[in-house]
Amino acid sequence: MPGPSHRTARGNRLGLALVGLALTAAGAAALARGLAVRPALLGAADTPALAEHTRRYPAGHWWFWPAIAAATAVIALLALRWLALQTRTDTIHHLKLEADTRHGTTRLPACAATTALQDDLTASPYIQRANATLTGTPITPRLALTLTTDTDPATATQRTHQAITRLRRALEIDQLRATITIRTTSTRR
């Protein structure tokens, strides 16, 4: 199963970097206060972290706790959205074989096309393993293909080109953009 999309992965890296920076800064400030590094700036290590007037502030302002609750709810919703985005991938689940809906709609499960391509490729003595995924849109799919071969990559590439041409003809697609990764294994000892 493919992983998260590139956009989701980039968002994860950015979000984790920001959270990491904030936690690192808070930890460094707490450590510096505990070690009494800058007591004039951070306060003395043996005094409460919040001054008396700061602790009394919520009692004198009715809106304080509802604002805290609203901010917490927004953070919780953002966290739930982040969790939901983790399941999103660029993989498509079906292909639309008829672009003009006036002539009807023909949908093919994408796994049927990728399984047929994988079977076609692994039937060759040149290719040991094949993994295909369709991304893009149901009308203009893109193929991501990973192959494992123990032969010359040029031979595997030629065989792959033939198999992709057969798939393209079967699906009646004029163009099928493909990204092919070939891994070679050596059988020489």
Side-chain angles (χ1 to χ4, degrees), residues 72-87:
T72 304
V74 167
I75 291 170
L77 289 174
L78 289 173
L80 286 173
R81 183 178 184 279
W82 176 78
L83 282 174
L85 288 175
Q86 299 313 300
T87 62

Side-chain angles (χ1 to χ4, degrees), residues 126-146:
Y126 305 116
I127 298 172
Q128 297 169 323
R129 202 171 323 131
N131 184 17
T133 305
L134 288 173
T135 61
T137 66
I139 295 174
T140 57
R142 292 186 310 267
L143 176 66
L145 184 61
T146 303

Side-chain angles (χ1 to χ4, degrees), residues 96-106 139:
K96 287 187 180 177
L97 300 181
E98 183 62 50
D100 188 1
T101 56
R102 292 178 295 170
H103 300 272
T105 302
T106 304
I139 295 174

Side-chain angles (χ1 to χ4, degrees), residues 1-187:
M1 175 178 271
S5 71
H6 294 294
R7 189 172 47 191
T8 302
R10 186 173 48 243
N12 285 345
R13 287 191 298 271
L14 177 64
L16 289 174
L18 292 175
V19 169
L21 285 172
L23 291 175
T24 301
L31 180 63
R33 181 184 168 106
L35 295 175
V37 173
R38 303 267 317 234
L41 179 64
L42 300 172
D46 59 350
T47 60
L50 297 176
E52 182 63 30
H53 70 279
T54 306
R55 290 192 304 260
R56 282 194 314 250
Y57 186 82
H61 299 86
W62 66 267
W63 55 266
F64 182 80
W65 290 116
I68 294 295
T72 304
V74 167
I75 291 170
L77 289 174
L78 289 173
L80 286 173
R81 183 178 184 279
W82 176 78
L83 282 174
L85 288 175
Q86 299 313 300
T87 62
R88 186 177 71 186
T89 63
D90 290 334
T91 304
I92 57 175
H93 301 291
H94 66 274
L95 298 169
K96 287 187 180 177
L97 300 181
E98 183 62 50
D100 188 1
T101 56
R102 292 178 295 170
H103 300 272
T105 302
T106 304
R107 293 170 47 143
L108 174 73
C111 64
T114 55
T115 301
L117 178 64
Q118 290 168 182
D119 291 346
D120 186 6
L121 288 167
T122 55
S124 166
Y126 305 116
I127 298 172
Q128 297 169 323
R129 202 171 323 131
N131 184 17
T133 305
L134 288 173
T135 61
T137 66
I139 295 174
T140 57
R142 292 186 310 267
L143 176 66
L145 184 61
T146 303
L147 305 172
T148 303
T149 181
D150 61 355
T151 188
D152 177 37
T155 306
T157 301
Q158 181 182 5
R159 175 70 174 112
T160 303
H161 177 69
Q162 294 167 352
I164 291 174
T165 300
R166 283 192 291 276
L167 176 67
R168 200 173 43 75
R169 286 183 188 149
L171 297 176
E172 297 178 353
I173 297 175
D174 294 331
Q175 293 183 11
L176 180 60
R177 291 177 47 197
T179 302
I180 303 168
T181 304
I182 299 177
R183 296 185 178 121
T184 59
T185 59
S186 176
T187 57

